[in-house]
Amino acid sequence: AQRVTQPEKLLSVFKGAPVELKCNYSYSGSPELFWYVQYSRQRLQLLLRHISRESIKGFTADLNKGETSFHLKKPFAQEEDSAMYYCALTRDSSYKLIFGSGTRLLVRP
Amino acid sequence: EPEVTQTPSHQVTQMGQEVILRCVPISNHLYFYWYRQILGQKVEFLVSFYNNEISEKSEIFDDQFSVERPDGSNFTLKIRSTKLEDSAMYFCASTRDPLDTQYFGPGTRLTVL
C-alpha cells in the first residue's frame, strides 16, 4: 500500500538556520509528490509540487526516486515559516492525496 | 482570489444523529473531495466526486456516508447516524482538473457526544 512517512513530529530551529523537513514514501509506481502547509488558524494550502520544480517562499524539494524521498529544504528559516507541513502523494490512476502525519516547524527568534 | 468555503465551522451533535456538512467549491471547479483528520492523526481521504458520481472512495466511506451536489454550487457530506469515532475535522477540496492543485476549505470540526 502507498504510504508517506514524516519521521519528525516537531522540528525546532532558530531564525536564519537551515531547515530540512523529511519525507519518505512507499509506492512502486510513479507518484506525484506535494508539500502542503497549514499556518496557524488557516487552511491547508499547496506549498510546492515536484512536477513544477518551483521554489516557493525559498523552499525547495527534490524527488529522489532511489531513496524514495522528497525532503523539503530552506537555507535560512524565517519566523513566519512556523507552521504545520504535510507531505503528500498521488499515484497513477488516482487523484486522492495520501498524506503523511505532518511535521510542526517552529522557528525561534 | 476565490476560495473553497465550508459551513458550519463547528458542529456538535449527539451520537446517532444525522449531520450534513456543507462545502461551496470554487466556481469553475469540477472535481470535489472530502478528507477528514481525527485529532492527532493524518489527513485521510474519504471520497472524490465528479460529474455527479463518486469516482473513488476509501474504506472509511461506508454506508453511513453519502455525498451530493444538490445544486450548482454546494457539495455536501452526510453522515446518517454519527458515532463517537466520527469526531474529526472534515475538509472539502476542489480542483478544475484532477491533475491540478487541490484547493482546500477551512474545515468543519465535528464533535460527536
Side-chain angles (χ1 to χ4, degrees), chain B residues 63-109:
Chain B
D63 292 344
Q64 292 299 313
F65 291 88
S66 62
V67 288
E68 192 178 30
R69 187 151 163 84
D71 53 45
S73 59
N74 289 282
F75 178 50
T76 61
L77 174 69
K78 182 193 290 185
I79 311 175
R80 286 190 184 82
S81 177
T82 50
K83 306 183 186 75
L84 296 176
E85 54 266 34
D86 294 328
S87 294
M89 195 77 168
Y90 287 80
F91 296 104
C92 174
S94 72
T95 184
R96 188 166 49 90
D97 181 283
L99 297 175
D100 284 350
T101 300
Q102 291 183 27
Y103 291 86
F104 281 79
T108 293
R109 180 167 299 284

Side-chain angles (χ1 to χ4, degrees), chain A residues 77-95:
Chain A
Q78 303 299 312
E79 289 181 67
E80 55 266 30
D81 296 328
S82 295
M84 196 75 183
Y85 290 81
Y86 294 95
C87 184
L89 72 76
T90 58
R91 58 181 173 84
D92 305 327
S93 75
S94 169
Y95 305 108

Side-chain angles (χ1 to χ4, degrees), chain A residues 26-65:
Chain A
S26 61
Y27 176 54
S28 55
S30 296
E32 181 159 3
L33 275 296
F34 304 80
W35 277 99
Y36 275 81
V37 61
Q38 188 172 29
Y39 300 103
S40 179
R41 286 186 285 278
Q42 293 188 28
R43 65 189 65 206
L44 274 165
Q45 55 188 282
L46 180 70
L47 181 61
L48 54 81
R49 57 196 292 180
H50 92 268
I51 199 169
S52 63
R53 296 185 172 275
E54 289 178 305
S55 172
I56 307 294
K57 300 184 179 184
F59 285 97
T60 58
D62 290 317
L63 179 60
N64 186 323
K65 291 187 177 181

